[in-house]
Amino acid sequence: MKNYYLQPKAEVLKEFKTDANGLTAEQAEKNLAKYGKNALVEGKKKTVFQVFLEQFKDLMVIILIIAAVISAFTGELESTLVIIAVLILNAVLGTVQHIKAEKSLASLKSLSSPSAKVLRNGEKIEIDSTEVVPGDIMLLEAGDMVTADGRILDNFSLQVNESSLTGESTNIDKADIDIDHELPIGDRINMVYSSSLVTYGRANVLVTGTGMNTEIGKIASLMNETKERKTPLQVSLDNFSSKLATTILIICAAILGLQIWRGQPLMDALLFAVALAVAAIPEALSSIVTIVQAMGTQKMAKENAIIKNLAAVESLGSVSVICSDKTGTLTQNKMTVEEIYIGGKVLKPNQLDLSNQLHRYLLYDAVLNNDSSIKDGKVIGDPTESALIEMYRQVPGIDLGNNQLGLSEEDLRDLLTRQQEIPFDSDRKLMSTKHLIHNEPTIFVKGAIDVLLDRCENIRIDNEVRPMTAEDRKQILAQNMHFSENGLRVLTFAYKEKDEDLSLETENGFTFIGLVAEMDPPREESVVAVARAKKAGIRTVMITGDHKVTAVAIAKKIGIFTEGDTAVTGLELDKMSDSELEQKIDKIAVYARVSPENKIRIVKAWQNKDKIVSMTGDGVNDAPALKKADIGVAMGITGTEVSKDAASMILADDNFATIIKAVANGRTVFENIKNAIMYLLSGNLSAIITVLFASIGGLPVPFVAVQLLFINLVTDSLPALAIGMEPGAPDVLDKKPRDPQVGILDKSLVTKITLQGALISIGVIAAFMLGLQTSPAVATTMAFSTLTFARLLHGFNCRSQHSIFKIGFKNNWYSLAAFGLGTLLLAAILFIPGLHSLFAVTPLTNTQFIWIGVLALIPTVIIQIVKTINDSKQHVEKEVSNVR
């Protein structure tokens, strides 16, 4: 894409073979055929059916399908139907999760206005925005949406809001000037860009880019090219699933061969292998993970963090870098007056004294020479001007009678009406109004210091007006520099008492009043949140479209920019190689004046260092980076639909502190998922060990497939869900983020799963052997009952690493409810005759029921004794550490 902002107007007109009268109808038709319609191109999307079929690609799912087929051939119709129902349910859940149709490009399209005004054959006509072509002369005025990129030919005080592209809400003053050096989008004042809004003035513009050849089209291309990364948990579970499935296939094949070698009929041997496969596969795992994540999303929603992608909940707990937007996220997104330089002193707004005539003149200037207003808490007008109204309201109110102050700003304006005015102009950088103050015609002016200071002849200190000296100018400029270095935006105020018409020629000879320094202040909670993030081992980086000085000043106040850190602009970043960026990235705390490509590059550089990256944003320009990041966070209040569609999470309150709360919740969700996986796998392992024991010992099948499916899908799911409801530990943010390279099944977890699974299997095997003394049917019933009850009790063990005596039941009543309901379901199967044939169970004696209860309870008793001993050891170690 050519940089037309660097070319003179005449060259650009020549390149597009047009002039000030616009294209002819014939030229427009040719250009439409050459460049295509002014619309964004969408990538090809998968159909719902394609997505549904993809859910069956998983190896574990294929094993279950094989198990269902074998069950059907062996006459186990109930098992077949249950397995098929589970597979379809999981596929539907996966499809619903995947088909969150990518609305980003549709939202980008909606930013285009339905019509545009252009010159064709020298006549002004209105056409559909899709018919605009390069070479058209587009006519813009206040209220218009810019429908294509273009070079300004004639400018009449044009102001444009480019927040959807740059992320900054301040209106940009445009000009028809030549630029001879590279600049970021926000500083290219001789160009307008598609999706921007004209807020003031008018202009004639030569269209240089349409459709995918616009800056917003470039973002659309980035969106198509950017692929979402899998979350650490998804990667870990995928690896686990493939390894588990491979192991299951090998074991099943070995057992099948062993059974056939022993002379068992083929179908019986296959049925045995099916039982083993069903016992090994944690069918409920994907559903449990989804539901636990959904519970996490509900909790986060109550704290203003709306999760769009369930998998993002767990990723939040792994976040190690947060790339945050400045405006509105870390700051309040409203301009406020911070300090005032007046009478040689620096004051706060509430230190202004209404009895001081100089202070009164500043307030007159701030309120009367101002077009904004605040009604019912709603700001109407320019944020910079509305900040002056807020400043006025902070001044201690004193009724000074004839001085008229102490009144509301509206009453003051009614009393001291505006007689004449010259509106703000981007060339003059001034605004002037004339009023009658104390029966004296008075002109008030405010504007940029570089323009207004040269028009000041006098200076007022308290009640004394004297000629301005070189020393006065030096002090004023030094104070302005001090304000600017601290990221403050400075307005200069002056007046003159003279009975003359207000005109461009008379805008001089003023008396200097003072400087007012404004800024978009940090949110109070941002400072605390950044500190909490640092304690949690999370690096916070500011990425903004604002200027470097302003961004660094805010970053210092919030705690993002500390000693040893650096700041770079988008242009400086463009000059860095990828290797240079990766070397410096740890020290770069602030990125200013950045482009969408810059943002993606920053995210990618952190990801290349194996960091889990969260990116916040609210504009169209943020969308590709939000999609590229592991966790894209969009603003709910100020965010565009495009940014919300691209993000995984939306902040309902646009508050950085909410991200940190979400990270804490994410870590809790991960711990709960990890504990739920431990619960499911240790229980499944106990079933596998029991089946293997029976196979190697040449004994009957200890379980039928439908019994194992009941345990895995019904009885196990309830305690696992209860584990997912476990509240977070108070010190959840005191730990460093977990290493995403380390899988969820680390050495410690595998050891616990193995030991606990073996322990439960001992009780189950003992029950099976006791039952065999009566009959194989009793043995199967006792093994099934013992395994079910033992796993229900095991739910209490997996709630936390601490003992049940330490964590108690009060903070998670769901665990008691899950145990009670699971026990009730087991009792129904054992005591309701109508269910005996469906679940292949047989009536038992009272003695056998007692043995089931004792053998199921022993593993939990042993595990709780070990946890209690560990808790005591940790308590002693903590006490010793505190004494030291």
Side-chain angles (χ1 to χ4, degrees):
M1 203 182 289
K2 251 188 173 182
N3 287 329
Y4 292 106
Y5 72 95
L6 294 173
Q7 291 182 243
K9 289 184 288 187
E11 275 186 27
V12 185
L13 284 164
K14 188 178 178 183
E15 184 169 329
F16 286 99
K17 298 175 183 176
T18 188
D19 58 29
N21 291 318
L23 299 171
T24 63
E26 188 181 346
Q27 283 178 308
E29 201 172 318
K30 284 181 181 176
N31 284 1
L32 187 62
K34 180 180 177 182
Y35 297 105
K37 290 206 168 194
N38 182 25
L40 300 175
V41 178
E42 289 194 46
K44 192 177 180 182
K45 291 179 181 177
K46 295 175 185 174
T47 65
V48 175
F49 186 63
Q50 283 176 319
V51 174
F52 180 76
L53 289 179
E54 284 181 358
Q55 306 306 308
F56 295 93
K57 283 183 179 178
D58 188 79
L59 189 54
M60 286 172 63
V61 171
I62 293 169
I63 292 172
L64 279 175
I65 291 172
I66 294 168
V69 172
I70 293 169
S71 292
F73 274 110
T74 55
E76 296 286 333
L77 189 60
E78 295 93 342
S79 297
T80 304
L81 292 175
V82 172
I83 293 171
I84 290 171
V86 170
L87 293 175
I88 291 174
L89 178 64
N90 281 337
V92 170
L93 281 172
T95 304
V96 169
Q97 284 302 308
H98 188 91
I99 305 294
K100 274 196 284 256
E102 292 290 337
K103 297 177 186 173
S104 301
L105 287 173
S107 297
L108 282 167
K109 280 185 171 183
S110 71
L111 289 172
S112 301
S113 65
S115 61
K117 297 184 284 289
V118 296
L119 284 176
R120 293 265 175 96
N121 299 315
E123 293 181 4
K124 178 180 175 181
I125 61 170
E126 192 164 318
I127 60 173
D128 191 286
S129 62
T130 59
E131 303 297 319
V132 174
V133 295
D136 265 328
I137 303 299
M138 184 165 55
L139 308 178
L140 297 175
E141 56 189 35
D144 286 346
M145 183 71 80
V146 181
T147 58
D149 290 3
R151 175 75 155 79
I152 295 174
L153 301 177
D154 303 298
N155 176 61
F156 305 95
S157 304
L158 186 73
Q159 287 186 3
V160 178
N161 186 313
E162 295 179 346
S163 59
S164 61
L165 279 170
T166 64
E168 293 306 309
S169 56
T170 310
N171 296 335
I172 308 296
D173 294 308
K174 295 295 183 177
D176 54 347
I177 60 169
D178 291 337
I179 296 174
D180 59 4
H181 57 285
E182 287 193 16
L183 291 170
I185 288 177
D187 295 330
R188 299 173 190 171
I189 61 172
N190 62 1
M191 294 284 292
V192 292
Y193 294 102
S194 180
S195 85
S196 302
L197 177 69
V198 178
T199 57
Y200 186 83
R202 58 189 181 87
N204 296 344
V205 174
L206 169 62
V207 175
T208 57
T210 57
M212 297 301 284
N213 292 319
T214 60
E215 288 296 329
I216 206 165
K218 204 190 294 183
I219 293 172
S221 298
L222 288 171
M223 291 285 287
N224 282 338
E225 292 163 12
T226 304
K227 292 182 180 178
E228 293 182 46
R229 297 212 313 174
K230 285 189 174 183
T231 71
L233 180 63
Q234 285 174 319
V235 172
S236 189
L237 287 177
D238 286 349
N239 291 337
F240 159 69
S241 297
S242 60
K243 287 174 184 175
L244 179 63
T246 305
T247 305
I248 290 168
L249 285 174
I250 292 169
I251 293 173
C252 287
I255 294 298
L256 182 64
L258 182 63
Q259 296 294 90
I260 293 171
W261 178 71
R262 282 185 173 160
Q264 197 169 13
L266 178 62
M267 293 313 290
D268 289 348
L270 279 172
L271 188 59
F272 203 97
V274 167
L276 180 62
V278 174
I281 297 172
E283 292 88 354
L285 179 58
S286 60
S287 300
I288 293 295
V289 169
T290 300
I291 292 166
V292 171
Q293 288 173 334
M295 290 172 177
T297 65
Q298 289 176 4
K299 186 177 180 184
M300 290 183 193
K302 292 174 184 174
E303 296 179 346
N304 294 314
I306 300 161
I307 303 293
K308 283 180 56 198
N309 180 353
L310 286 184
V313 181
E314 174 274 327
S315 285
L316 276 164
S318 309
V319 164
S320 47
V321 178
I322 298 176
C323 298
S324 179
D325 188 29
K326 175 183 73 70
T327 307
T329 310
L330 293 165
T331 63
Q332 297 176 21
N333 197 24
K334 66 171 188 176
M335 297 301 291
T336 58
V337 173
E338 293 291 308
E339 293 182 314
I340 302 155
Y341 177 71
I342 188 166
K345 299 173 186 174
V346 176
L347 304 174
K348 295 287 185 182
N350 60 7
Q351 293 176 310
L352 290 175
D353 184 359
L354 293 178
S355 64
N356 185 309
Q357 196 171 357
L358 177 59
H359 292 191
R360 290 204 305 275
Y361 269 75
L362 174 70
L363 294 172
Y364 283 143
D365 201 339
V367 173
L368 302 175
N369 186 26
N370 187 325
D371 289 330
S372 73
S373 59
I374 303 174
K375 292 180 180 177
D376 300 323
K378 187 178 180 182
V379 173
I380 302 168
D382 186 81
T384 304
E385 289 197 324
S386 62
L388 299 174
I389 302 298
E390 291 282 10
M391 174 191 77
Y392 175 73
R393 292 181 174 187
Q394 290 179 50
V395 177
I398 302 172
D399 187 1
L400 298 179
N402 292 332
N403 290 322
Q404 287 98 29
L405 284 167
L407 303 172
S408 72
E409 67 272 8
E410 293 301 329
D411 289 340
L412 191 66
R413 287 170 174 173
D414 290 341
L415 200 62
L416 305 173
T417 54
R418 187 181 295 183
Q419 297 177 340
Q420 290 180 295
E421 66 177 294
I422 303 180
F424 178 83
D425 183 278
S426 57
D427 294 328
R428 287 166 42 251
K429 297 182 184 177
L430 297 174
M431 177 178 177
S432 301
T433 57
K434 184 179 178 183
H435 306 264
L436 192 65
I437 308 292
H438 311 315
N439 297 317
E440 186 73 42
T442 306
I443 293 171
F444 291 116
V445 62
K446 72 173 188 290
I449 191 168
D450 56 329
V451 176
L452 186 49
L453 195 61
D454 290 338
R455 298 174 185 239
C456 290
E457 296 176 356
N458 303 312
I459 185 171
R460 181 166 186 156
I461 306 293
D462 295 327
N463 290 325
E464 180 193 355
V465 177
R466 59 174 174 78
M468 183 178 284
T469 64
E471 183 60 29
D472 291 329
R473 291 180 188 277
K474 186 178 176 183
Q475 285 181 6
I476 293 166
L477 290 170
Q479 187 60 52
N480 175 67
M481 180 63 70
H482 174 73
F483 283 149
S484 298
E485 286 173 351
N486 283 280
L488 299 171
R489 188 176 296 168
V490 184
L491 276 176
T492 309
F493 290 80
Y495 79 103
K496 68 175 177 179
E497 294 174 333
K498 198 167 186 180
D499 190 7
E500 62 183 9
D501 282 337
L502 180 54
S503 65
L504 295 177
E505 290 72 31
T506 58
E507 271 191 322
N508 49 52
F510 292 110
T511 298
F512 177 83
I513 298 175
L515 305 176
V516 172
E518 299 182 4
M519 75 180 303
D520 181 6
R523 290 176 179 263
E524 289 179 16
E525 57 271 34
S526 293
V527 180
V528 177
V530 168
R532 283 188 76 194
K534 194 174 287 186
K535 189 177 180 183
I538 301 169
R539 171 81 154 130
T540 306
V541 177
M542 181 190 285
I543 301 181
T544 177
D546 213 336
H547 291 281
K548 188 197 281 189
V549 173
T550 305
V552 169
I554 294 289
K556 282 180 178 176
K557 290 191 176 189
I558 295 171
I560 291 175
F561 194 99
T562 55
E563 192 174 342
D565 287 333
T566 59
V568 298
T569 64
L571 290 177
E572 290 168 342
L573 187 61
D574 288 337
K575 293 173 185 174
M576 287 187 199
S577 64
D578 289 342
S579 58
E580 189 181 356
L581 175 59
E582 285 189 28
Q583 286 174 3
K584 294 180 177 180
I585 198 165
D586 290 317
K587 290 293 179 186
I588 303 173
V590 173
Y591 297 87
R593 308 303 273 176
V594 291
S595 67
E597 293 90 344
N598 292 150
K599 292 180 183 183
I600 286 185
R601 195 173 169 214
I602 294 162
V603 170
K604 191 176 178 182
W606 277 114
Q607 288 174 338
N608 288 342
K609 294 174 79 74
D610 296 324
K611 301 293 185 183
I612 301 298
V613 184
S614 173
M615 168 82 192
T616 75
D618 57 4
V620 175
N621 62 316
D622 297 315
L626 290 174
K627 192 175 176 185
K628 174 69 178 171
D630 299 280
I631 298 290
V633 182
M635 303 299 109
I637 300 172
T638 59
T640 59
E641 286 304 310
V642 181
S643 64
K644 291 175 189 176
D645 288 340
S648 309
M649 183 170 90
I650 299 168
L651 299 184
D653 58 358
D654 289 13
N655 194 338
F656 179 82
T658 303
I659 302 173
I660 306 304
K661 287 182 192 173
V663 169
N665 279 329
R667 291 189 179 186
T668 298
V669 166
F670 177 76
E671 283 302 312
N672 290 347
I673 288 173
K674 191 174 179 180
N675 290 336
I677 287 172
M678 179 171 69
Y679 170 75
L680 291 170
L681 295 189
S682 56
N684 279 19
L685 181 62
S686 63
I688 293 168
I689 293 171
T690 305
V691 172
L692 286 173
F693 172 82
S695 176
I696 293 167
L699 302 171
V701 180
F703 315 104
V704 296
V706 72
Q707 290 173 345
L708 292 168
L709 276 173
F710 171 80
I711 295 169
N712 285 1
L713 289 173
V714 182
T715 314
D716 275 3
S717 299
L718 298 172
L721 287 174
I723 291 166
M725 297 298 288
E726 196 70 24
D731 60 349
V732 70
L733 282 179
D734 291 348
K735 303 167 189 173
K736 301 294 180 190
R738 74 180 183 88
D739 185 354
Q741 298 303 308
V742 177
I744 196 166
L745 289 175
D746 55 25
K747 189 177 179 182
S748 170
L749 187 61
V750 169
T751 303
K752 287 177 184 176
I753 288 169
T754 305
L755 291 174
Q756 291 172 6
L759 197 57
I760 294 170
S761 69
I762 291 169
V764 177
I765 290 168
F768 180 64
M769 297 305 291
L770 281 170
L772 275 178
Q773 294 175 11
T774 305
S775 71
V778 170
T780 298
T781 303
M782 286 188 71
F784 163 64
S785 303
T786 305
L787 180 60
T788 302
F789 195 51
R791 292 179 74 168
L792 285 170
L793 288 164
H794 190 47
F796 296 120
N797 300 324
C798 296
R799 278 178 56 195
S800 167
Q801 61 180 342
H802 301 295
S803 72
I804 200 70
F805 306 106
K806 185 171 182 178
I807 61 175
F809 294 105
K810 288 183 180 179
N811 59 351
N812 191 351
W813 290 103
Y814 297 98
S815 60
L816 283 174
F819 174 76
L821 185 55
T823 304
L824 194 65
L825 289 170
L826 175 61
I829 291 171
L830 295 176
F831 294 113
I832 298 175
L835 297 177
H836 287 183
S837 60
L838 180 61
F839 289 95
V841 297
T842 192
L844 302 175
T845 65
N846 290 336
T847 304
Q848 288 166 339
F849 278 122
I850 291 169
W851 273 116
I852 288 169
V854 171
L855 291 171
L857 186 61
I858 288 172
T860 293
V861 171
I862 294 171
I863 291 168
Q864 287 301 320
I865 288 170
V866 172
K867 287 192 172 193
T868 303
I869 293 169
N870 287 337
D871 286 344
S872 299
K873 280 183 182 177
Q874 288 176 9
H875 180 71
V876 171
E877 287 171 3
K878 192 174 181 181
E879 289 295 319
V880 171
S881 176
N882 290 339
V883 169
R884 288 175 181 170

